[in-house]
């Protein structure tokens, strides 16, 4: 298995609390993450430590399901998640910090590993694609929130 870490951030002209509440409503993630097809297993209960859900997407033409569990949370500021399945597993952080009363910076980071045969052959490829997807997703998040 091959380990890697990536992180991206974006400034958003919305209050930190608004950004955080939108991001933790995982049912809205398909609105700003075009590679994500569906969310499964999320009860809609308050997003908190212990919350679980699965993301469904396509990878190389095949359905990929990644399971998430919230492992730590600072309300309105940060959520730490463990993800398993698909081609990567590891830890993800969603964090928002206020810049002013009406603007904030949202940061998304991942630290984990590529699993299976791709861990031996395609870590660089997976990392580059994950960086590209992460930057695109954050651009979409900014556009979505700033247009509402």
């Amino acid at each position: 298995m091959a380990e890697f870490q990536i992180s991206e951030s974006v400034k958003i002209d919305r209050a930190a609390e608004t950004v955080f509440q939108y991001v933790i409503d995982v049912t809205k993630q398909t609105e700003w993450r075009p590679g994500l097809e569906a969310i499964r297993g999320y009860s809609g209960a308050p997003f908190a430590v212990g919350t679980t859900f699965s993301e469904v997407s396509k990878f190389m033409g095949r359905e990929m399901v990644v399971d998430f569990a919230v492992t730590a949370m600072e309300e309105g500021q940060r959520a730490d998640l463990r993800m398993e399945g698909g081609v990567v597993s590891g830890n993800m952080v969603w964090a928002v910090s206020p810049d002013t009363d009406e603007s904030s910076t949202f940061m998304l980071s991942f630290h984990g590993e590529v699993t299976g045969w791709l861990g031996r052959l395609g870590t660089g490829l997976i990392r580059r694609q994950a960086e590209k997807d992460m930057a695109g997703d954050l651009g979409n998040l900014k556009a979505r929130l700033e247009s509402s």
Side-chain angles (χ1 to χ4, degrees):
M1 292 184 251
E3 200 171 300
F4 71 98
Q5 183 169 346
I6 58 175
S7 182
E8 287 283 337
S9 62
V10 64
K11 291 191 178 291
I12 301 174
D13 289 333
R14 289 290 178 261
E17 182 64 24
T18 300
V19 173
F20 189 76
Q21 290 305 316
Y22 184 80
V23 169
I24 66 168
D25 183 350
V26 296
T27 63
K28 293 184 178 180
Q29 288 200 8
T30 55
E31 296 175 359
W32 57 278
R33 295 182 54 208
L36 184 60
E37 294 187 343
I39 298 291
R40 292 184 186 156
Y42 178 63
S43 67
F47 192 87
V49 172
T51 296
T52 60
F53 60 94
S54 299
E55 292 183 350
V56 181
S57 59
K58 293 274 188 197
F59 181 74
M60 298 176 75
R62 298 175 62 163
E63 183 177 278
M64 181 172 62
V65 177
V66 178
D67 299 320
F68 285 81
V70 179
T71 58
M73 192 157 147
E74 295 174 45
E75 186 59 44
Q77 298 176 30
R78 178 183 171 123
D80 293 26
L81 301 99
R82 178 71 189 162
M83 56 186 286
E84 299 282 343
V87 296
V88 295
S89 17
N91 298 301
M92 183 166 277
V93 174
W94 303 338
V96 64
S97 57
D99 296 330
T100 67
D101 287 345
E102 289 303 316
S103 70
S104 56
T105 298
F106 179 72
M107 187 268 306
L108 180 61
S109 68
F110 170 80
H111 180 239
E113 58 197 16
V114 180
T115 56
W117 63 273
L118 283 173
R120 292 184 303 278
L121 302 175
T123 302
L125 174 66
I126 297 297
R127 179 192 175 116
R128 285 188 297 280
Q129 186 63 49
E131 289 171 331
K132 180 181 172 187
D133 290 347
M134 191 180 279
D137 290 348
L138 291 184
N140 292 335
L141 175 65
K142 174 181 175 70
R144 168 75 76 185
L145 285 171
E146 289 181 354
S147 69
S148 60

